Amino acid sequence: MSEENVPEAAETTAQDALPSNYNAANIQVLEGMEAVRKRPAMYIGDTGERGYHHLVYEVVDNSIDEALAGYCTMIDVTINPDGSLTVQDNGRGIPVDMHPTQHRPAIEVVLTILHAGGKFDGSNYKVSGGLHGVGVSCVNALSDWMKVDVKRGGKVHHIEFSRGHVTKPLEVVGECGEETGTRVTFFPDHTIFSCRAFKWEILCARLRELAFLNKGVKIHFKDNEGDAHHEETFHYEGGIDEFISYLNMNKKPLSPIIHFEGEKANASGVPITAEVSLQYTDSYSTIEQTYCNNIHTIEGGTHLSGFRAALTRTINKYGADNKLIKEKDNLTGDDMREGLTVIVSVKVPQPQFEGQTKTKLGNGEVEGIVGSIVSDKLMTFFEENPAVAKTVIEKTLLAARAREAARAARESTRRKGVMDGLSLPGKLRDCSERDPAKTELFLVEGDSAGGSAQTGRDRKTQAILPLRGKVLNVEKARVDRMLANNEIRTIITAIGCGFAEEWDISKARYHKIVIMTDADVDGAHIRTLLLTFFYRKMPELIEKGYVYLAQPPLYKVERKKRSEYVLTDGELTEKLLTLGLDDFEVKGKDDQPLEREKATALMRLLAEIEMTSKAVEERGYKPKELLNDPAAVGSGASMLHKQFQSLEGMGFTQDDYFGGYLPGLLDQVRAHGKQGLSMYRFTGLGEMDADELFDTTMNPEKRHMLRVTLNDAVKADQMFTLLMGDEVEPRRRFIEENALNVRNLDF
Ligand code: 0RA
C-alpha cells in the first residue's frame, strides 16, 4: 500500500478519488488494529499486569507531550467505578478536522492508524512515549471500548470505538468557548488481558515519577472504584531535585542537592538535553535512576555510563589535586557511589533501546554529553564547597576499606567452599529434588519451630533452614560486617546464587524462598530484617518473584468437634458474625427485622468502628469528641468520619452508637456466635506440632502464602530506610501515623 503513489493534489481535489482511497485507508486501519490484537505482546510487552497498566502510560504520554510542547498544564487520571479509566488534559485537543489524504477526521486517524500519534507537521519530535512508544491507537485496538471527547475550536466533539473500530462517528455534542483539551476513557479488552483491574499503587508510582520528571505539570489521580476512593495530586516545581529529596526523605544528607543541566546538538543538529540531580547521604546503598524520554531505563546505558565515568574522573582529580586521595587508596567507582542518590534524565530525539527488556539506552552520543556537563559543573561545585567535597571523599575512602575487608572475608569463606554451595551449611535440612523450579526453602524463626518444620515437611521438595536469634540489620552495616554474620552467610550459601560480584540468579537452588516467622512483634521484626537483606542485597530474588511470606494461622476454632484454622483477626470477626447471625434477629430503627445481608453489613461496620475507636482511645482521644471537632485531623479522625457517615446511611445516629445500643447489639451477636465454640490463639509457630504446622502453613495444597512484589520500588526503598535506618524521628512519626493501618508496614 505504501507503493501506491498518487499525487497529493489529485487526492484532495478529485472527489471521485475518494471512495477507492477511503477503502485503502480502511484496509490500513483494519490490518493495523488486527495486527495489534493478534500479537499484543509485540506492541505493549505483555498481556499481564504490566501490559494492562502500560495502556494507561501510553495515553498519559500523549498528554505529557502536550505539556512538554507548552500547551498543557494539568492531567487528570481517574479509575472509574466500572473499572474503565479516564485521562483528561487541557492541551490543544486532538485535531478533529478532515485529514487531507485519509478523508476522515484526523482524530480517527490518530486513534486507528499505528504510529499516527506523532505530530503531523514533522517539526516536533515525540520526546515522551511509553516504553514501546506505540501510541494511543494500540490502546484503542486493545480496548473493549474507548470514548474520546475533544474540546477544540469552541466545540466539544465526541467519538466512540470498540476494539479499534469506530462505533459512533465523530459528532459535535456541545460548546466550550475558549477551552481546549482531550478526554480519553477506555476499558481494556478482557479477552486479551489476564489482568482485571488497575492498581492504585502501580499507577501512583508512575504518575508521581512523571510529575517529577516533567516539572510544573500537575497530575491529579483519583480512584473511584470500589470503596477505596484514594486521591492524590502530583505537582513538583522543583522537578528532579524534588525527586531526590523524596528518595532521600528518611536519610541523613551529607551534601546539598546538586543540579546540572545542559543541551547539545546531535549529528543532525537536533538538541539532546540532559538533566542530572544528585545528593550524598550517610546510607550504605546507592540509588541511580536514569530516564530517557521519561522512560525508566532500568538496564542503564550510555547516559548512566557517561555520568559514572564523569563522577569517578572528577572525584579522582579533585582528590588528587587537594591531596585527599593517594594512589594506594585504590578507589573504585563503586566506592564513590556509596550513599549516592542520583537521577539522570535525558531527552533524545531518536532513542535506541537495547538490552533484554529494551530498557538500556544505546545512543553513543549521549555518553559524552552527560559526561561533559557533569565533569565541568561538579568540579566547580567541589571547588566552591571544599567542606562538602572533603566529607564525600572521606566516605568514599571508608567504603574502599570496607570493600577490601569484605573481599578478604569472601576470599577466606570461598576457600572453605561456603559461597559456591559446595559445602552446604550444617543447619540446612535440604530436600532431595534437584530441580529448583520444584523446590522451596523455608527460613524458619527459632529452633523449635525449625524442628517441627523439619519433621512435618515434604522431604522431596521442601528444605528447612532454622534461624537462631536476630538477623543482622544490613541497612546499618557495611558488607564486611555483613559477611562476618553467620546467619547471613548461611542464607547466602543455602540459596546458592553467591553474592555481589559473583551473584548469579541462575544458580538459585530454590525458586521459592519462604520466610516463616511467628505472628508477634519479634516475628515481624525478623521478617523485616530478612526482607531488608533480600531487597538490598539480592533484589533480583524479589524481582523474579522468588520470595514469599508464610501465613501461619492465628487461631484454631473448634465447634461441634470440627476444628478449623483462622488466619487473621478480621477473618475471626467475620466468622463470629456469620455464626452469630444464624437464628438471630437484628432489628432496625423501625423495629422491623433486617434482611440477613443488611444485618451482616451493619455488623461488619460496627466491628470496624469498634476497632478504630479502640485505636483512637489508645492514643488518648475520645472518639465522640474527635468526631465533633471540626479541627480534628489525622487518619483516625477521617476514618471515624467515614464510618459514621456509612452508619448514618444505614439509618442510625451517633447516639445509637455512643448511647451503647449498637455496641450492645454487636456484643450480643458475637456472644451468640461464640456459643458452643472453643477458640485458641497461637502465639508462635513452636506451639504447633509437626503435622499441624505442615497442614496449616506448609502444605502446598492448603496453605496461604504471600508473594513479595515490588509495585513501587521507590516507596519500598523509603520504607526500608525508614524502618531499619538511623533516623529515629521519621520512624517514630511513620509508626504513629500508621498505627491504625498496620498493613502498610508490609510492603
Ligand atoms: C496530534 C496532533 C496534535 C495534538 C495531539 C495529537 C494530541 C493527542 C492527545 C492525546 C491525548 N491528549 C492529546 N492532546 C493532543 C497537535 C494539535 C495542534 O497542532 O493543534
Side-chain angles (χ1 to χ4, degrees):
M1 250 171 307
S2 54
E3 299 296 310
E4 199 181 41
N5 204 351
V6 186
E8 278 216 359
E11 268 188 314
T12 45
T13 51
Q15 280 296 320
D16 45 357
L18 200 140
S20 74
N21 203 1
Y22 191 85
N23 259 339
N26 257 342
I27 292 166
Q28 196 183 348
V29 169
L30 223 102
E31 287 186 343
M33 295 294 96
E34 282 323 305
V36 177
R37 293 180 57 80
K38 239 187 222 147
R39 311 182 67 182
M42 224 180 81
Y43 295 87
I44 52 153
D46 67 64
T47 54
E49 191 171 83
R50 203 180 289 232
Y52 202 81
H53 292 83
H54 191 86
L55 300 175
V56 184
Y57 309 152
E58 286 292 345
V59 181
V60 171
D61 280 334
N62 287 280
S63 305
I64 294 275
D65 266 342
E66 279 296 286
L68 292 181
Y71 299 104
C72 162
T73 56
M74 185 236 43
I75 303 169
D76 224 280
V77 179
T78 311
I79 304 175
N80 301 310
D82 64 355
S84 66
L85 186 137
T86 300
V87 179
Q88 178 167 4
D89 67 48
N90 63 351
R92 287 168 291 182
I94 305 177
V96 288
D97 46 335
M98 273 295 170
H99 190 273
T101 59
Q102 295 269 348
H103 306 291
R104 307 184 286 143
I107 184 168
E108 243 187 67
V109 178
V110 169
L111 289 165
T112 58
I113 294 188
L114 296 183
H115 299 290
K119 314 296 177 208
F120 301 128
D121 58 7
S123 68
N124 260 323
Y125 62 79
K126 197 171 152 54
V127 290
S128 115
L131 179 50
H132 305 268
V134 287
V136 70
S137 59
C138 282
V139 181
N140 192 11
L142 299 174
S143 292
D144 192 43
W145 53 263
M146 178 182 271
K147 299 177 185 177
V148 183
D149 288 289
V150 168
K151 289 184 193 159
R152 202 178 151 105
K155 301 220 158 48
V156 185
H157 308 260
H158 180 87
I159 185 167
E160 293 183 13
F161 305 85
S162 173
R163 303 183 177 185
H165 301 286
V166 178
T167 50
K168 197 171 202 191
L170 187 69
E171 59 173 338
V172 171
V173 294
E175 315 244 319
C176 58
E178 296 283 290
E179 269 180 62
T180 61
T182 305
R183 183 172 69 201
V184 177
T185 301
F186 67 98
F187 189 94
D189 187 343
H190 284 186
T191 64
I192 286 180
F193 291 95
S194 60
C195 189
R196 284 292 168 264
F198 295 111
K199 280 202 182 147
W200 170 261
E201 289 80 16
I202 295 180
L203 292 176
C204 240
R206 176 60 181 160
L207 296 176
R208 184 191 301 118
E209 185 177 71
L210 281 172
F212 280 130
L213 293 170
N214 302 283
K215 66 174 157 218
V217 180
K218 193 184 260 175
I219 304 180
H220 178 234
F221 181 32
K222 202 167 169 193
D223 187 354
N224 285 336
E225 200 183 11
D227 17 73
H229 297 291
H230 308 278
E231 191 168 351
E232 221 161 319
T233 301
F234 306 111
H235 178 209
Y236 308 105
E237 288 299 345
I240 60 171
D241 288 357
E242 277 195 68
F243 201 169
I244 295 283
S245 33
Y246 178 77
L247 290 167
N248 287 347
M249 89 171 51
N250 303 314
K251 302 183 184 182
K252 199 170 149 224
L254 295 183
S255 80
I257 294 168
I258 310 168
H259 183 99
F260 317 116
E261 59 183 66
E263 190 181 298
K264 210 168 179 176
N266 71 357
S268 2
V270 192
I272 295 177
T273 65
E275 239 192 308
V276 178
S277 187
L278 65 85
Q279 183 175 42
Y280 276 93
T281 71
D282 72 345
S283 151
Y284 299 132
S285 43
T286 306
I287 304 179
E288 291 172 301
Q289 303 209 132
T290 62
Y291 297 86
C292 174
N293 301 352
N294 290 334
I295 296 160
H296 189 183
T297 34
I298 296 163
E299 296 172 277
T302 49
H303 47 352
L304 179 61
S305 52
F307 165 77
R308 285 182 172 178
L311 183 80
T312 308
R313 195 162 57 224
T314 311
I315 292 184
N316 269 330
K317 177 151 178 22
Y318 181 87
D321 291 353
N322 293 277
K323 307 212 169 8
L324 293 165
I325 299 174
K326 300 183 189 63
E327 191 94 33
K328 69 166 174 45
D329 288 327
N330 220 346
L331 294 182
T332 68
D334 275 339
D335 301 331
M336 298 181 199
R337 293 191 292 272
E338 187 187 275
L340 175 72
T341 302
V342 59
I343 304 282
V344 180
S345 172
V346 297
K347 302 267 160 77
V348 181
Q350 273 161 340
Q352 267 126 40
F353 293 110
E354 305 166 348
Q356 274 201 334
T357 55
K358 291 270 174 281
T359 59
K360 182 173 182 180
L361 183 63
N363 303 54
E365 68 275 23
V366 177
E367 185 156 352
I369 295 173
V370 175
S372 71
I373 64 165
V374 172
S375 314
D376 294 354
K377 297 186 181 169
L378 187 59
M379 187 56 92
T380 312
F381 176 85
F382 282 159
E383 281 160 359
E384 287 168 2
N385 300 273
V388 175
K390 188 154 180 271
T391 313
V392 168
I393 289 177
E394 274 164 7
K395 179 163 176 67
T396 298
L397 291 169
L398 281 176
R401 259 168 247 155
R403 175 176 50 82
E404 186 49 39
R407 196 195 52 74
R410 271 210 305 277
E411 196 52 45
S412 91
T413 41
R414 192 186 2 256
R415 262 185 267 111
K416 292 183 217 141
V418 172
M419 303 299 285
D420 50 18
L422 284 180
S423 81
L424 289 166
K427 290 199 301 173
L428 176 72
R429 297 288 167 258
D430 211 2
C431 49
S432 56
E433 172 66 52
R434 280 288 149 257
D435 176 2
K438 295 181 185 148
T439 61
E440 311 179 337
L441 172 67
F442 284 81
L443 303 175
V444 187
E445 172 186 1
D447 281 337
S448 96
S452 300
Q454 187 189 319
T455 314
R457 70 182 170 142
D458 171 357
R459 277 161 198 276
K460 188 167 179 330
T461 58
Q462 298 183 319
I464 309 292
L465 183 64
L467 300 175
R468 210 168 294 146
K470 284 274 154 79
V471 178
L472 182 81
N473 180 359
V474 300
E475 199 69 30
K476 287 190 191 168
R478 278 212 170 91
V479 197
D480 52 334
R481 259 191 65 212
M482 209 179 81
L483 289 175
N485 179 275
N486 263 326
E487 239 55 35
I488 296 276
R489 271 220 314 271
T490 312
I491 297 171
I492 296 174
T493 316
I495 292 174
C497 297
F499 185 75
E501 289 90 6
E502 294 96 18
W503 172 261
D504 182 356
I505 185 83
S506 72
K507 289 196 183 144
R509 302 181 59 250
Y510 317 91
H511 286 185
K512 287 202 174 84
I513 296 163
V514 188
I515 300 174
M516 189 155 82
T517 51
D518 290 341
D520 58 12
V521 183
D522 279 350
H525 193 203
I526 293 175
R527 184 179 63 203
T528 316
L529 288 165
L530 286 168
L531 284 173
T532 310
F533 171 65
F534 289 134
Y535 178 70
R536 288 287 185 224
K537 306 297 168 186
M538 304 184 165
E540 208 177 348
L541 284 183
I542 296 182
E543 282 153 22
K544 282 254 181 333
Y546 288 180
V547 182
Y548 294 81
L549 305 178
Q551 296 289 95
L554 262 190
Y555 299 95
K556 181 173 173 171
V557 177
E558 261 171 338
R559 195 174 186 229
K560 294 185 183 152
K561 299 233 165 91
R562 283 192 42 201
S563 66
E564 212 181 318
Y565 295 93
V566 177
L567 277 184
T568 61
D569 279 310
E571 214 176 287
L572 182 72
T573 306
E574 191 69 15
K575 181 145 219 82
L576 291 181
L577 295 181
T578 312
L579 289 172
L581 285 171
D582 278 345
D583 332 305
F584 190 96
E585 211 172 71
V586 178
K587 289 193 175 141
K589 288 278 276 201
D590 51 5
D591 226 30
Q592 291 295 310
L594 286 181
E595 292 161 35
R596 172 73 187 230
E597 218 167 278
K598 285 206 175 117
T600 310
L602 175 64
M603 290 302 136
R604 260 189 215 138
L605 180 62
L606 291 175
E608 268 178 46
I609 294 178
E610 184 185 67
M611 221 157 58
T612 317
S613 303
K614 220 183 254 168
V616 162
E617 277 164 11
E618 271 165 20
R619 292 159 72 182
Y621 298 103
K622 294 215 160 53
K624 190 173 176 177
E625 285 169 19
L626 209 57
L627 261 182
N628 296 306
D629 177 3
V633 285
S635 51
S638 76
M639 220 182 283
L640 269 184
H641 262 289
K642 282 199 188 124
Q643 289 165 346
F644 273 88
Q645 269 166 15
S646 308
L647 197 62
E648 279 160 15
M650 292 185 186
F652 294 94
T653 64
Q654 279 191 27
D655 282 346
D656 293 330
Y657 191 88
F658 293 114
Y661 164 65
L662 288 173
L665 199 58
L666 177 64
D667 283 340
Q668 268 181 307
V669 172
R670 261 196 302 231
H672 185 66
K674 275 187 197 158
Q675 267 169 30
L677 199 99
S678 83
M679 259 188 334
Y680 181 74
R681 189 184 207 282
F682 293 110
T683 56
L685 296 164
E687 283 176 56
M688 283 186 259
D689 65 25
D691 289 343
E692 205 168 24
L693 185 61
F694 181 74
D695 272 355
T696 58
T697 315
M698 296 171 70
N699 182 353
E701 314 262 297
K702 298 193 209 159
R703 71 186 175 197
H704 292 260
M705 292 206 305
L706 296 176
R707 181 187 248 168
V708 178
T709 57
L710 261 187
N711 281 340
D712 187 341
V714 171
K715 269 257 156 69
D717 182 273
Q718 277 177 355
M719 199 137 76
F720 283 121
T721 319
L722 183 74
L723 290 173
M724 307 323 268
D726 280 321
E727 296 288 280
V728 177
E729 183 51 25
R731 171 163 51 234
R732 193 196 56 71
R733 218 177 323 127
F734 177 83
I735 291 174
E736 172 132 319
E737 277 164 16
N738 288 279
L740 290 169
N741 195 3
V742 187
R743 285 174 61 88
N744 276 354
L745 292 169
D746 304 325
F747 79 142

